[in-house]
């Protein structure tokens, strides 16, 4: 991918006009009107899921939520480049990737509501559940990719992470291992400009993609709000991985329009002028403008997309509000793949505690007296 670390790849301008780029246009030459509308629908629906989950968190129905508004094109475009047998290791913000991979929208909030360790079965969609430890999934993805290569599986493994994660040792170690052992992993960095309150220039004095180049990994920067450009560069990286070409690094330059999580207040560290500037580059508006320019847009189709988005959002809300509370002893399930004596001992102790005081009332005052949250 020569030269693309300096100039981000772009195929659609913010006003919807096409960009002349024969090299990358060829990679999405099969994307006709129907495919454009599918991409547009997935952008709209994934944002609606995110909006609904954010509202649920604000209403106290979720303990926390990590909004992704503004990053839909980076996620939808890259997800559409993958095959069903490819494997995805996500961070905690890839809601649109999960939707495109076939995760039931009614399941996406389970972990955030605190009723389960995870929200979906990774084996059903070849995608892990949200990784809260920043950057840890980079090493997991690299190991999985290398093991799949040894097994002869011709698949791509993708690791999603943010700009802040590139300052973590886990990502540096993953880049080193992947380069040295030619692991077929695609490192997909969503550079949304803010690692909570830390601006991206504090993460790296040079483009983040240059870090991968320093490890001997081909890297590419792409306009992360341009769904077609993201689709093109991810297709190229995925083909390279499946064909045994080794790792690739994609830096999708996008912007987190909302807070880092619903526990964050972005107005404390960034200006309204900055967010307004990025709002003009909105990925959904950009795609709609492309459809309008090419005489593909019609109001009836828009209504169908909006109705579908509302139906999906209703499923998210109704599923969240009716999720049953788990049995307390389920806390000890799925901690290890095989039985573990320490976990089993803790399970027995807690079962005895519940049997002695099912409501936990006698222990609560003592815990509060000691300053411990009950």
């Amino acid at each position: 991918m020569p030269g693309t670390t300096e100039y981000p790849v772009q195929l659609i301008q913010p006003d919807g006009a096409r960009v002349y780029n024969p090299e990358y246009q060829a990679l999405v030459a099969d994307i006709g009107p129907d495919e454009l509308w599918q991409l547009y629908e997935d952008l709209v629906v994934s944002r609606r899921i995110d909006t609904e989950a954010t509202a649920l968190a604000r209403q106290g129905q979720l303990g926390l939520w990590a909004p992704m508004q503004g990053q839909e094109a980076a996620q939808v475009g890259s997800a559409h480049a993958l095959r069903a047998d490819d494997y995805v290791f996500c961070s905690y913000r890839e809601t649109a990737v999960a939707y495109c991979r076939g995760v039931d929208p009614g399941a996406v909030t389970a972990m955030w509501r605190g009723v389960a360790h995870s929200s979906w079965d990774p084996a059903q969609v070849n995608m892990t559940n949200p990784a809260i430890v920043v950057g840890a999934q980079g090493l997991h993805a690299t190991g999985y990719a290398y093991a799949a290569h040894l097994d002869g599986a011709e698949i791509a493994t993708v690791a999603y992470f943010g700009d802040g994660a590139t300052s973590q040792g886990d990502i540096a170690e993953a880049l080193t291992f992947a380069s040295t052992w030619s692991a077929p992993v695609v490192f997909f960095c969503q550079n949304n400009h803010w690692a909570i309150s830390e601006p991206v220039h504090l993460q790296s004095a040079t483009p983040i993609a240059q870090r991968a180049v320093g490890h001997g990994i081909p890297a590419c920067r792409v306009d992360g709000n341009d769904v077609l450009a993201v689709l093109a560069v991810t297709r190229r990286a995925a083909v390279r991985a499946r064909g045994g070409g080794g790792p690739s690094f994609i830096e999708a330059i996008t912007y987190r329009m909302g807070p880092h999580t619903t526990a964050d207040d972005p107005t404390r560290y960034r200006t309204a002028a900055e967010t307004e500037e990025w709002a003009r580059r909105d990925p959904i508006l950009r795609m709609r403008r492309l459809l309008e320019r090419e005489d593909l847009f019609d109001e009836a189709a828009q209504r169908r997309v909006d109705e579908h988005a509302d139906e999906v959002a209703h499923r998210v809300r109704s599923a969240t509000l009716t999720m049953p509370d788990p049995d307390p002893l389920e806390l000890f399930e799925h901690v290890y793949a095989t039985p573990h004596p320490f976990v089993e001992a803790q399970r027995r102790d807690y079962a005895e505690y519940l049997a002695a005081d099912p409501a936990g009332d006698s222990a609560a005052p003592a815990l509060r007296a000691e300053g411990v949250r009950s």
Side-chain angles (χ1 to χ4, degrees):
M1 304 179 186
T4 55
T5 56
E6 292 83 11
Y7 302 101
V9 177
Q10 187 183 72
L11 294 178
I12 311 172
Q13 296 177 17
D15 64 359
R18 296 264 190 174
V19 176
Y20 180 69
N21 189 326
E23 177 184 2
Y24 288 95
Q25 284 172 340
L27 294 170
V28 290
D30 61 315
I31 304 300
D34 291 344
E35 290 79 15
L36 289 174
W37 265 101
Q38 186 61 62
L39 289 168
Y40 178 69
E41 178 177 318
D42 287 351
L43 292 171
V44 173
V45 174
S46 58
R47 177 171 293 185
R48 188 68 179 84
I49 294 171
D50 184 64
T51 302
E52 195 67 30
T54 300
L56 285 164
R58 299 298 189 201
Q59 294 159 7
Q61 298 299 332
L62 301 180
L64 195 69
W65 182 254
M68 60 146 194
Q69 182 182 352
Q71 300 181 217
E72 294 89 353
Q75 297 188 24
V76 170
S78 57
H80 273 257
L82 304 179
R83 300 188 318 209
D85 59 343
D86 294 330
Y87 207 98
V88 171
F89 286 78
C90 65
S91 69
Y92 43 73
R93 205 182 301 278
E94 280 72 46
T95 306
V97 178
Y99 174 71
C100 292
R101 295 293 287 174
V103 171
D104 177 6
V108 297
T109 59
M111 187 193 77
W112 303 101
R113 189 166 169 84
V115 300
H117 285 305
S118 58
S119 294
W120 60 81
D121 181 355
Q124 292 183 353
V125 292
N126 282 353
M127 177 175 176
T128 63
N129 273 264
I132 304 302
V133 179
V134 177
Q137 70 275 16
L139 279 171
H140 303 159
T142 302
Y144 185 95
Y146 186 61
H149 172 69
L150 293 179
D151 286 345
E154 296 179 357
I155 65 169
T157 302
V158 185
Y160 287 91
F161 50 91
D163 48 289
T166 63
S167 294
Q168 295 287 346
D170 284 8
I171 295 298
E173 292 168 10
L175 293 172
T176 298
F177 188 97
S179 176
T180 303
W181 293 90
S182 195
V185 59
V186 178
F187 294 99
F188 194 97
C189 175
Q190 292 180 83
N191 177 358
N192 66 19
H193 285 77
W194 290 95
I196 309 184
S197 60
E198 297 295 332
V200 68
H201 66 78
L202 293 182
Q203 306 297 332
S204 178
T206 63
I208 289 175
Q210 288 288 357
R211 291 185 169 183
V213 175
H215 286 268
I217 297 175
C220 175
R221 303 184 88 204
V222 62
D223 183 338
N225 286 13
D226 177 349
V227 69
L228 281 186
V230 174
L231 174 59
V233 301
T234 310
R235 276 181 167 179
R236 170 172 286 188
V239 168
R240 171 183 165 86
R242 297 185 197 114
S248 302
F249 190 103
I250 297 169
E251 179 189 354
I253 303 169
T254 182
Y255 193 80
R256 167 172 54 80
M257 292 300 295
H260 175 71
T261 69
T262 48
D264 170 44
D265 178 8
T267 64
R268 298 180 62 184
Y269 54 81
R270 67 187 189 193
T271 66
E274 179 178 315
T275 55
E276 289 169 5
E277 177 186 352
W278 278 93
R280 291 191 287 270
R281 309 177 195 178
D282 184 272
I284 296 178
L285 183 57
R286 183 182 308 203
M287 194 62 176
R288 174 169 174 155
R289 286 170 173 166
L290 172 68
L291 293 170
E292 291 172 341
R293 275 180 173 271
E294 301 188 351
D295 294 326
L296 298 173
F297 185 83
D298 71 83
E299 294 296 338
Q302 179 68 63
R303 284 194 296 273
R304 287 194 295 271
V305 168
D306 290 339
E307 289 170 1
H308 179 53
D310 286 342
E311 291 169 2
V312 172
H314 176 73
R315 190 152 80 245
V316 172
R317 173 168 288 273
S318 60
T320 300
L321 298 180
T322 56
M323 287 176 180
D325 290 335
D327 183 283
L329 291 178
E330 287 184 19
L331 175 69
F332 303 96
E333 298 292 340
H334 310 299
V335 178
Y336 287 90
T338 56
H340 193 290
F342 292 141
V343 174
E344 292 303 316
Q346 292 172 3
R347 182 202 295 270
R348 287 193 300 271
D349 289 345
Y350 193 51
E352 291 174 3
Y353 162 77
L354 292 175
D357 185 10
D361 293 338
S362 64
L367 291 172
R368 284 195 290 269
E370 296 174 8
V372 179
R373 288 185 181 179
S374 60

